[in-house]
Amino acid sequence: MTAEDPGPALEQAWREQWGRLTALLVGQLRRLDLAEDGLADAFEAAARTWPRDGVPDNPPAWLLTSARRRVLDRLRGEAVAAKKLPVLVVEAGLQEEAQLVMADAGEPVRDERLRLVMLCAHPALSRENAAALTLRMVMGVSTADIARLFLMPTATMAARLTRSRKSLAGERFEVPLGPALAARVGRAADVAYLSFTAGYAAPSGAELLRTDLAVEAIRLARLLRELLPGRPDLDGLLGLMLLQHSRRDARLVDGRLVLLPDQDRSRWHSAEISEAFAVLRPHVTAPGTPYLLQALIAAEHAISPHPEATDWPRIVQRYDELVALADSPVVRLNRAVAVSEADGPLAGLRALDGLELPGHRLPGVRGELLARVGRTDEARTELTRAVDLCDNDPERAHLADRLAALEG
């Protein structure tokens, strides 16, 4: 044990170890509910005891051992479960896994996490529920933040997660083969991008960025590409993530949000941009997929030396292709922004006609475009609504600044 403030160590363990430890527990128990509940109890115990006893030398091993004890206590109280899964067998297996974490948390843990991702991507679940379950089980995103990502009440999301866990009871904990693998990889790709989104633009709280979550999502995308190399959708996914992630250091300055046109492009990470270009290059003229088209849109910004050089008509063309493949309110909102840059704010406002989208982004965009055409009263109304609906502190501050500028 070390005598230090346990807060940072506990936070780091939550962000970096949740999915790894969950996967190890599920690998032995084959029960998502036991694994998650046991690990949650272990973190609660750490929050109580680490301030008193100090941070352990190996926090992941401590958490896994603590979770194991709580799972075994519960199994001993469940006679039916104990018959199906003898306690002594579980105890021996989990002790072996605890030794693994103490010694080496590398490849074996990665394999377990991949199995957990494939389990959460099971066809028994809807694509949305598979994504939500993976965000919770693998990435450790809170139920409240997952609910915000899916634009629904927290209680509704909590009920969905519970039903999803029950739906997977008894399913095999393995990486499937053949067509089943391809189908689950597609689902897992959606999960990876939702995870990345949670890290790239946090839906709530004081942080706009959760770099650790974005990095983990990129790692998941790399693993998926290793499973099925050469697929345009997976290459597009990785390229898109790398291009967006490359801008992370320019998106916030002194805690304030900086929009893409105003970012210092010298702070963009050139190595990640170069890797993205290498990944995307074989697919530039290939038939589009949703992730590939989004990546090619992001690439247009990366190849422009300054905002005025951006080829907005080409970006609108890419969005038109994307609408044809995967139409959604979010895609149409982003297309309207591109149209406003290519053809002016009035054209952008026309592109927003009839669009409905919960949250702050639609009134935020509409308010900005209304301000550009001089319709100040309407702009003020929309921006006020956007501020009221925004749960993320840096974005809310940016919207409030825009509103103050109109009122000044």
Side-chain angles (χ1 to χ4, degrees), residues 253-274:
V253 174
D254 297 328
R256 311 294 289 186
L257 176 65
V258 182
L259 298 183
L260 181 62
D262 302 318
Q263 290 176 11
D264 179 358
R265 301 190 176 206
S266 69
R267 301 187 67 188
W268 291 1
H269 290 252
S270 59
E272 290 164 3
I273 294 173
S274 297

Side-chain angles (χ1 to χ4, degrees), residues 220-388:
L220 176 56
R222 293 188 192 279
L223 286 177
L224 295 176
R225 287 183 73 239
E226 290 175 11
L227 280 172
L228 290 177
R231 283 180 48 152
D233 54 343
L234 297 183
D235 287 352
L237 173 65
L238 180 60
L240 174 60
M241 288 182 176
L242 288 170
L243 288 169
Q244 291 181 330
H245 192 56
S246 72
R247 306 173 195 151
R248 60 189 176 278
D249 291 341
R251 294 186 67 219
L252 285 177
V253 174
D254 297 328
R256 311 294 289 186
L257 176 65
V258 182
L259 298 183
L260 181 62
D262 302 318
Q263 290 176 11
D264 179 358
R265 301 190 176 206
S266 69
R267 301 187 67 188
W268 291 1
H269 290 252
S270 59
E272 290 164 3
I273 294 173
S274 297
E275 182 185 357
F277 286 170
V279 168
L280 296 173
R281 192 168 292 115
H283 308 295
V284 170
T285 59
T289 71
Y291 287 129
L292 179 59
L293 288 170
Q294 291 176 76
L296 294 175
I297 290 169
E300 289 293 334
H301 296 291
I303 64 177
S304 300
H306 50 82
E308 292 75 17
T310 305
D311 191 340
W312 287 106
R314 186 189 298 242
I315 291 176
V316 172
Q317 179 184 347
R318 295 292 191 192
Y319 271 120
D320 289 340
E321 296 176 54
L322 187 56
V323 167
L325 278 179
D327 193 6
S328 75
V330 172
V331 170
R332 288 188 177 270
L333 177 65
N334 292 334
R335 178 186 178 276
V337 172
V339 168
S340 72
E341 296 292 341
D343 302 320
L346 282 174
L349 285 169
R350 288 193 293 270
L352 293 176
D353 286 345
L355 186 61
E356 295 183 5
L357 181 66
H360 68 279
R361 300 194 186 281
L362 177 57
V365 170
R366 184 178 281 125
E368 179 65 32
L369 295 182
L370 287 167
R372 291 184 188 181
V373 297
R375 292 158 60 178
T376 305
D377 290 342
E378 294 173 79
R380 187 181 295 111
T381 298
E382 292 292 332
L383 288 173
T384 299
R385 180 165 170 255
V387 170
D388 292 340

Side-chain angles (χ1 to χ4, degrees), residues 130-144:
L133 187 63
T134 308
L135 286 168
R136 181 74 196 107
M137 298 297 299
V138 182
M139 311 301 290
V141 181
S142 72
T143 301

Side-chain angles (χ1 to χ4, degrees), residues 119-178:
L119 178 63
C120 292
H122 195 281
L125 302 179
S126 70
R127 190 173 293 270
E128 186 176 69
N129 287 350
L133 187 63
T134 308
L135 286 168
R136 181 74 196 107
M137 298 297 299
V138 182
M139 311 301 290
V141 181
S142 72
T143 301
D145 273 355
I146 298 172
R148 290 186 182 93
L149 284 172
F150 285 89
L151 305 175
M152 66 177 60
T154 300
T156 303
M157 177 53 67
R160 283 195 176 197
L161 290 170
T162 298
R163 288 195 299 269
S164 296
R165 293 186 195 96
K166 291 180 178 179
S167 296
L168 297 180
E171 295 294 342
R172 296 176 66 87
F173 188 61
E174 63 183 12
V175 177
L177 302 174

